[in-house]
Amino acid sequence: MQTITTVAELRCALTEHRRADKRIGFVPTMGYLHDGHLALIEASRAQCDVTVVSIFVNPTQFGPNEDLSTYPRDFQRDEKLCRDAGVAIVFAPASQEIYPDRFETFVEPGELAKPLCGAFRPGHFRGVATVVCKLFNMVQPDVAFFGQKDFQQCAVVRRMAIDLNLLIKIVIVPTVREAGRLAMSSRNRYLNGEDQRRALAISRGLFAAAEEFALGERNVDKLIAIAKRHLETVDQLQYLELVDCDTLKPAVSPLHRAAALCVGAYVGATRLIDNVILQPTP
Ligand code: PAF
């Protein structure tokens, strides 16, 4: 496995693989890897010849009062996990490599970035879209892999790839969950024992609604109410919404199109997000 820190070196290493007609898979991350990231790497290894993982804590997607400076980092551990998982290249640029002096050009997503997390994290998806677009241009992968936990991010990136004619297939990999079904996230490490227990309310609420949906419930308000009953133990429920999977606009009763039940909530000082997809059978 190669660890590369500059775009010039990355281009050079990838040229070799491209000449050999290798299919390049890309897993963008902010490091502090967990089993969710490893599932993305595994999917890439299954579908591509060469897997590139980027590790970059992207400053432009953090708001002024968010956890950029304390975001968990452990590069050596990440490198080992990547090596053991069969990654070919770890791309770990310094901030200056991505955002050189006088940087001023951003990718501005549209309506998809406005609801859900976008309503509470102004500028977040602009930062995500910008860095993902830049990383796509640097790596030029055939396929890129994202986790379903970041449902809105997936929608924004998929739209960006279409709108900007990026010839990259976007693959969404199902959320990996800890015991108790808490969605894996690098931020879970902030949770103490008691917070961990209370955080389980999120997946409990989502799955309770999904079970009622499987039993035939198609009323949007009722499905939301079922999930909400479980969410009383979280400290601040930012949003609990059932949205259309394509538009992210509020889903309409009776549900007959794929919809995502999405939660953003604080448990203690930790902001967690999760979702389940409700897919009506034709
Ligand atoms: O999902 C993440 O870890 C980040 O938002 C991403 C896609 C790596 C961009 O910084």
Side-chain angles (χ1 to χ4, degrees):
M1 185 183 84
Q2 282 177 282
T3 296
I4 290 178
T5 56
T6 66
V7 179
E9 267 181 285
L10 179 70
R11 290 234 161 94
C12 198
L14 286 170
T15 302
E16 297 292 307
H17 291 302
R18 244 176 241 115
R19 268 203 205 111
D21 215 15
K22 301 283 189 212
R23 189 170 163 84
I24 296 170
F26 178 44
V27 179
T29 82
M30 298 208 297
Y32 211 73
L33 304 182
H34 51 66
D35 286 353
H37 297 114
L38 296 182
L40 304 182
I41 293 170
E42 200 179 305
S44 173
R45 295 246 301 141
Q47 296 179 38
C48 302
D49 305 305
V50 172
T51 293
V52 180
V53 172
S54 65
I55 297 180
F56 178 64
V57 182
N58 173 36
T60 63
Q61 69 189 73
F62 288 79
N65 300 318
E66 293 184 353
D67 56 346
L68 172 62
S69 61
T70 56
Y71 194 82
R73 292 162 167 90
D74 188 341
F75 184 66
Q76 262 152 30
R77 180 174 160 275
D78 288 347
E79 246 190 334
K80 179 169 175 359
L81 285 171
C82 285
R83 188 174 295 110
D84 293 349
V87 170
I89 297 175
V90 167
F91 178 50
S95 198
Q96 183 69 15
E97 190 71 10
I98 304 288
Y99 298 112
D101 292 343
R102 303 185 55 220
F103 179 87
E104 62 171 17
T105 306
F106 287 83
V107 176
E108 190 70 67
E111 293 302 308
L112 291 174
K114 290 185 182 159
L116 309 173
C117 290
F120 295 90
R121 304 186 71 188
H124 170 68
F125 289 112
R126 177 189 201 238
V128 169
T130 301
V131 81
V132 170
C133 186
K134 283 174 69 70
L135 290 166
F136 280 179
N137 287 333
M138 292 168 188
V139 178
Q140 297 184 10
D142 297 286
V143 193
F145 297 83
F146 293 83
Q148 188 201 309
K149 185 197 60 103
D150 300 303
F151 180 75
Q152 190 172 13
Q153 169 169 283
C154 294
V156 167
V157 168
R158 226 174 2 210
R159 187 73 247 163
M160 174 183 77
I162 295 168
D163 289 349
L164 302 186
N165 303 89
L166 308 177
L167 286 177
I168 299 169
K169 181 179 170 196
I170 308 295
V171 172
I172 312 300
V173 176
T175 303
V176 177
R177 296 179 180 279
E178 298 182 359
R181 304 209 277 197
L182 177 65
M184 292 250 175
S185 162
S186 304
R187 288 189 171 99
N188 290 355
R189 73 153 328 222
Y190 298 144
L191 300 169
N192 63 30
E194 173 56 16
D195 286 349
Q196 267 172 27
R197 196 187 58 73
R198 289 186 309 124
L200 298 183
I202 296 176
S203 51
R204 211 180 299 127
L206 292 176
F207 283 102
E211 274 155 33
E212 285 304 314
F213 174 80
L215 292 172
E217 183 59 75
R218 293 291 181 270
N219 182 284
V220 170
D221 293 338
K222 284 190 185 156
L223 289 164
I224 292 176
I226 291 162
K228 195 163 189 174
R229 259 183 249 138
H230 294 265
L231 287 162
E232 262 140 31
T233 57
V234 303
D235 292 297
Q236 189 201 340
L237 181 58
Q238 284 194 325
Y239 61 83
L240 168 63
E241 285 182 51
L242 188 53
V243 295
D244 183 272
C245 277
D246 291 332
T247 63
L248 305 195
K249 297 221 184 305
V252 177
S253 299
L255 273 186
H256 59 84
R257 286 167 53 82
L261 184 57
C262 302
V263 179
Y266 274 94
V267 175
T270 309
R271 187 173 181 280
L272 301 171
I273 58 170
D274 198 357
N275 65 81
V276 288
I277 310 262
L278 307 181
Q279 178 81 63
T281 40

